[in-house]
Amino acid sequence: MLALLLAGVIASGVGVVYARHQSRALFVQLQSLLSERDALNIEWGQLQLEQSTLATHGRIERLATERLDMHVPAHDEIILVKP
């Protein structure tokens, strides 16, 4: 009977150690994933800022003028097409 109780106590102790180890391993994994999430959130914010900077009206107009030689048409260059 004593041997059975001793085996039960040892098995319980091993189970507690294993559960504690799993808990710590999962906590480390959680911290790693939270750090990755924070880094991705920072990158997302930077990309949104970059997109808003690149899509400003003034920049688009300047690029159209410089690269594509576009200009605002004069009054006599405008042709109205009626359906």
Side-chain angles (χ1 to χ4, degrees), residues 4-81:
L4 185 62
L5 288 175
L6 182 62
V9 168
I10 291 174
S12 175
V14 169
V16 168
V17 169
Y18 178 76
R20 178 66 87 179
H21 173 72
Q22 285 297 100
S23 173
R24 288 181 179 160
L26 290 173
F27 181 75
V28 168
Q29 183 180 9
L30 173 66
Q31 292 301 317
S32 173
L33 291 172
L34 289 175
S35 295
E36 184 179 352
R37 181 203 60 189
D38 293 341
L40 289 172
N41 279 336
I42 290 170
E43 183 180 1
W44 174 249
Q46 290 171 343
L47 288 172
Q48 285 180 318
L49 180 62
E50 182 180 353
Q51 180 186 20
S52 67
T53 302
L54 292 175
T56 59
H57 180 70
R59 181 178 182 277
I60 300 298
E61 187 173 352
R62 182 178 49 84
L63 289 175
T65 304
E66 291 174 0
R67 292 187 185 174
L68 303 174
D69 294 327
M70 297 177 81
H71 64 279
V72 177
H75 185 68
D76 58 338
E77 294 177 326
I78 298 175
I79 300 171
L80 294 178
V81 178

